[in-house]
């Protein structure tokens, strides 16, 4: 599978993710089939996620990054992939002329303003060609496009550099989540729906074969105490409507299975029951640590899906 990265193509087995009021770092060791955790640290950012943008205080971010570095022994195991949370990056599937990918990216600069609410001169973006159920093989192809405003991303890259951490790639959180939950082998169903029930927000991705063709971020959260009972029903309705969207927009393409992961696995049975009350699509609670056969996974591992996906980007070219 070809995964989208805003910057960089080199392999790494470590991920850094800053989201809400948390910073997570995970480094893996080994290769596919024999992976193990080399370092795994989470630090709080001492701020409520609704108070301000996590990118706004770069001095504070540097301090937290140095604290994280200290907690893993004062030395980074290697370079890392940086994840961008969903509110700071837009991910869309777009139609593009069928051409060499490098030429396609150059041509897309002139179409950028049609798809994103800020000019390409102020953005860091990338595209990757994907398989798509509506691709008829003509002059038009489909690609996943991701874009973020360049200033906060570049500023944080400078902070990482000051802290001695080399960033090899920058990737949207939804792309990393899909990698983690999908696993090293593509499921047999041609279309599946992946859900990360998150700490502050949740992600929903519809995948065709091994490519995401619809990316959504929803406001339901499962990280601060048990949600109200109606939250399970409302969240299930978002999942159901996403699955129904696939059938209506992609030539009757039906979702074969729903894979559920994330911090919300603390309430996995409740979410599964709520979804099952609305659809007959099979629902599987997914532990990505087991899917990727990572040795001795930590007990408290729910909610690490994104940073795990970032670290897994360097495994066998995935």
């Amino acid at each position: 599978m070809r995964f989208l990265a805003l910057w960089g193509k080199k392999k790494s087995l470590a991920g850094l993710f800053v989201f809400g009021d948390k910073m997570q770092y995970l480094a893996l060791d080994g290769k596919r089939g024999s992976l193990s955790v080399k370092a795994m640290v989470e630090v709080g950012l001492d701020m409520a996620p609704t108070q301000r943008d996590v990118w706004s205080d770069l001095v504070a971010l540097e301090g937290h990054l140095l604290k994280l570095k200290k907690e893993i022994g004062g030395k980074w195991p290697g370079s890392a992939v940086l994840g961008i949370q969903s509110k700071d990056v837009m991910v869309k599937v777009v139609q593009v002329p069928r051409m060499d990918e490098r030429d396609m990216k150059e041509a897309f600069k002139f179409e950028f303003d049609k798809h994103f609410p800020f000019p390409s001169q102020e953005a860091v973006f990338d595209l990757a060609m994907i398989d798509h159920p509506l691709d008829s093989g003509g002059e038009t192809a489909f690609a996943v496009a991701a874009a973020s405003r360049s200033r906060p991303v570049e500023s944080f890259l400078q902070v990482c550099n000051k802290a001695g951490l080399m960033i090899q790639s920058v990737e949207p959180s939804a792309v990393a989540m899909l990698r983690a939950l999908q696993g090293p082998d593509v499921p047999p169903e041609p279309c599946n729906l992946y859900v990360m029930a998150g700490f502050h927000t949740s992600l929903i991705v519809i995948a065709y074969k091994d490519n995401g063709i619809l990316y959504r971020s929803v406001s339901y959260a499962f990280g601060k105490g048990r949600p109200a009972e109606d939250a399970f029903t409302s969240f299930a309705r978002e999942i159901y409507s996403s699955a129904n969207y696939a059938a209506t927009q992609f030539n009757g393409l039906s979702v074969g299975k729903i894979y559920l992961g994330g911090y919300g696995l603390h309430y996995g049975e409740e979410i599964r029951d709520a979804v099952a009350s609305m659809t007959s699509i099979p629902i599987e609670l997914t532990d990505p640590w087991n899917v990727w056969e990572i040795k001795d996974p930590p007990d408290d591992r729910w909610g690490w899906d994104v940073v795990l996906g970032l670290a897994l980007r360097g495994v066998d070219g995935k």
Side-chain angles (χ1 to χ4, degrees):
M1 179 174 184
R2 303 175 67 188
F3 279 96
L4 185 66
L6 298 182
W7 269 350
K9 299 296 181 183
K10 295 182 180 179
K11 295 182 179 181
S12 172
L13 284 175
L16 175 67
F17 187 39
V18 183
F19 65 106
D21 57 356
K22 296 176 180 296
M23 179 185 291
Q24 292 180 335
Y25 177 83
L26 174 68
L28 300 175
D29 196 14
K31 58 183 180 180
R32 178 177 170 178
S34 61
L35 292 166
S36 60
V37 175
K38 192 172 185 178
M40 181 177 178
V41 178
E42 177 179 283
V43 298
L45 301 183
D46 302 323
M47 55 173 277
T50 56
Q51 283 182 340
R52 54 180 175 162
D53 194 323
V54 297
W55 308 100
S56 63
D57 191 341
L58 297 178
V59 174
L61 275 178
E62 182 182 358
H64 292 302
L65 195 59
L66 291 173
K67 178 182 178 182
L68 190 153
K69 180 181 179 180
K70 182 178 179 181
E71 292 196 16
I72 62 174
K75 183 178 180 180
W76 301 110
S79 59
V81 178
L82 174 65
I84 305 296
Q85 61 182 337
S86 57
K87 78 180 188 67
D88 293 319
V89 61
M90 298 182 69
V91 184
K92 295 183 175 183
V93 173
V94 297
Q95 288 184 270
V96 294
R98 196 180 301 275
M99 60 177 65
D100 177 85
E101 195 160 290
R102 181 177 298 179
D103 294 335
M104 178 191 68
K105 292 176 183 179
E106 287 298 316
F108 188 74
K109 292 179 181 179
F110 300 99
E111 301 291 321
F112 186 90
D113 293 355
K114 296 180 181 179
H115 301 283
F116 298 102
F118 44 89
S120 61
Q121 295 88 343
E122 299 176 7
V124 54
F125 71 94
D126 203 357
L127 287 87
M129 300 288 289
I130 61 171
D131 291 322
H132 195 280
L134 300 182
D135 191 342
S136 60
E139 295 182 356
T140 301
F142 288 82
V144 175
S148 180
R149 291 188 181 275
S150 58
R151 184 173 180 179
V153 175
E154 291 171 350
S155 296
F156 191 47
L157 290 176
Q158 293 174 5
V159 170
C160 291
N161 185 59
K162 290 177 66 176
L165 176 61
M166 179 182 294
I167 299 298
Q168 293 283 14
S169 304
V170 183
E171 187 171 75
S173 58
V175 174
M177 177 275 283
L178 176 60
R179 180 185 298 113
L181 295 187
Q182 191 176 64
D185 301 308
V186 182
E189 306 87 5
C191 178
N192 293 293
L193 190 149
Y194 296 86
V195 181
M196 186 192 77
F199 196 94
H200 297 300
T201 59
S202 297
L203 299 172
I204 298 174
V205 177
I206 294 176
Y208 175 66
K209 299 181 180 179
D210 59 350
N211 298 284
I213 58 173
L214 177 70
Y215 295 83
R216 294 189 62 205
S217 175
V218 295
S219 60
Y220 297 97
F222 299 88
K224 293 191 174 181
R226 181 180 176 84
E229 290 304 315
D230 60 352
F232 295 115
T233 301
S234 299
F235 185 51
R237 191 173 295 115
E238 293 286 355
I239 297 171
Y240 168 74
S241 64
S242 298
N244 190 55
Y245 180 88
T248 58
Q249 297 296 316
F250 303 130
N251 288 342
L253 183 70
S254 59
V255 171
K257 186 177 286 188
I258 296 171
Y259 293 88
L260 174 66
Y263 194 86
L265 284 184
H266 286 291
Y267 313 103
E269 297 297 335
E270 290 94 328
I271 297 173
R272 179 162 60 185
D273 290 346
V275 176
S277 70
M278 302 178 187
T279 178
S280 60
I281 299 173
I283 308 159
E284 182 174 313
L285 304 185
T286 304
D287 180 350
W289 301 81
N290 287 339
V291 171
W292 283 90
E293 300 179 315
I294 298 174
K295 296 179 180 178
D296 301 319
D299 292 332
D300 187 15
R301 59 189 183 272
W302 306 140
W304 286 76
D305 304 64
V306 170
V307 74
L308 177 59
L310 295 169
L312 288 166
R313 187 172 186 268
V315 177
D316 295 343
K318 288 284 285 184

